[in-house]
Amino acid sequence: MAWGRNLEQDTIYEETPCDVPATAPVSDEALVRIGTNLRAQYQEVLDEPIPDRICELLRRLDESEDDGTSDPLPDSEEVSR
Amino acid sequence: MSVSPRLRDELVTSIPSLRAFAVSLCGDRTFADDLVQEALVKAWSNLDKFREGTNMRAWLFTILRNVFYSEHRKRRREVEDVDGAFAARLIGLPSQSSHMDMQDFRAALAMLQADQREALVLVGASGFSYEEAAAICGCKVGTVKSRVNRARTRLSELLSVQSGNDYGLEAPIQAALASVASAGHTR
């Protein structure tokens, strides 16, 4: 999977759970650049239409409700754990 | 189970941001939509557990995040980790955005540790407070703050190399990918 490597590193990663930055301060210019790009990238996905297969899923969920079927897809019972 | 129209509307309205969060978690549109679908099914069948008046979007993000991490654990058992292969592909492909800065940024973001990237996206792009992000990630507020700080510092390091020469991010990223690749071989 895409970010698998990073996830693995999590286990050896040391946290500093405090409000003080554990590292050198980032310049205002860099903060602006990071913030702008981060939001732009996120916005790109936000602006995409909802894919057909998700619309189809919503239709099925609506129908399952009308039928009185509480279990629209096989794996939905996993949730109640 | 009957779903109130208001809750259904709230759920549907959240789908675009849920997708954006999913893409930021896994870096892949198709897999992201798989995650969104599974999260929606889980959410739908658990809407009776949702307390009206609380934050629907945060609730959905929490469900999606759980789906992602349990899926990740499952897949790790089944398939060999692709390590840096995805990041390499990402750099090779032209970005949907033609903006060069955005391409560099995307590549740099892909190099962050998952927990740092997640915290940064929740706070810096999804618009959650540190408290909400902590609830979504199931950690302390201070931990989220620390992760966001580390993410910004690392990104700024990666991106500052770029402004210092004409080669963009290529050199540091190639170096990082090489080290990832060699680490992968030794496992």
Side-chain angles (χ1 to χ4, degrees):
Chain A
M1 191 197 329
W3 311 127
R5 181 80 197 155
N6 290 339
L7 281 171
E8 230 167 62
Q9 287 169 350
D10 290 353
T11 49
I12 52 161
Y13 176 64
E14 273 185 34
E15 304 267 12
T16 311
C18 64
D19 292 2
V20 185
T23 39
V26 180
S27 74
D28 288 348
E29 192 198 342
L31 281 180
V32 168
R33 189 176 171 199
I34 290 167
T36 307
N37 275 296
L38 196 62
R39 286 187 295 274
Q41 188 183 313
Y42 203 77
Q43 192 63 42
E44 218 176 68
V45 186
L46 284 183
D47 290 342
E48 290 171 5
I50 296 179
D52 287 348
R53 62 171 167 135
I54 291 179
C55 296
E56 175 59 27
L57 172 72
L58 286 173
R59 251 193 310 277
R60 281 164 61 198
L61 290 170
D62 282 334
E63 279 167 16
S64 78
E65 191 191 344
D66 295 342
D67 298 347
T69 317
S70 59
D71 237 353
L73 289 181
D75 60 347
S76 62
E77 75 273 9
E78 282 180 22
V79 201
S80 44
R81 280 183 296 158
Chain B
M1 178 193 56
S2 125
V3 174
S4 87
R6 207 178 62 79
L7 279 186
R8 186 193 182 281
D9 280 355
E10 262 193 84
L11 189 132
V12 172
T13 314
S14 304
I15 292 176
S17 60
L18 206 53
R19 287 189 72 235
F21 179 54
V23 170
S24 77
L25 280 181
C26 71
D28 176 271
R29 289 283 202 290
T30 307
F31 183 37
D33 285 335
D34 290 345
L35 295 175
V36 170
Q37 282 196 302
E38 201 175 334
L40 286 175
V41 170
K42 285 183 193 294
W44 192 278
S45 54
N46 283 275
L47 270 177
D48 54 326
K49 296 195 187 81
F50 175 74
R51 282 183 293 127
E52 290 212 35
T54 60
N55 192 332
M56 166 71 84
R57 210 163 60 96
W59 184 65
L60 290 171
F61 272 51
T62 310
I63 294 174
L64 183 121
R65 188 179 177 277
N66 289 340
V67 168
F68 171 68
Y69 283 103
S70 71
E71 193 61 31
H72 182 262
R73 281 191 293 272
K74 227 184 289 173
R75 289 192 182 201
R76 260 182 63 184
R77 282 198 298 269
E78 287 164 8
V79 296
E80 202 175 324
D81 222 333
V82 290
D83 283 345
F86 178 80
R89 207 159 63 233
L90 184 93
I91 293 155
L93 284 174
S95 160
Q96 290 198 347
S97 154
S98 57
H99 202 252
M100 208 45 216
D101 194 44
M102 179 104 116
Q103 279 196 38
D104 287 343
F105 180 81
R106 206 183 291 273
L109 192 66
M111 292 171 72
L112 293 186
Q113 291 184 182
D115 58 352
Q116 295 179 16
R117 182 174 47 244
E118 175 183 74
L120 184 68
V121 167
L122 287 172
V123 172
S126 305
F128 286 112
S129 65
Y130 283 105
E131 288 73 16
E132 288 167 329
I136 290 168
C137 298
C139 66
K140 290 180 180 157
V141 176
T143 305
V144 173
K145 288 182 178 173
S146 160
R147 286 175 184 172
V148 170
N149 281 337
R150 283 168 191 269
R152 286 180 175 145
T153 304
R154 182 77 183 116
L155 281 177
S156 130
E157 283 166 5
L158 287 164
L159 295 166
S160 72
V161 179
Q162 188 225 7
S163 53
N165 65 41
D166 291 330
Y167 299 102
L169 265 177
E170 205 173 313
I173 283 178
Q174 290 307 330
L177 287 176
S179 77
V180 164
S182 64
H185 287 287
T186 56
R187 264 187 296 136

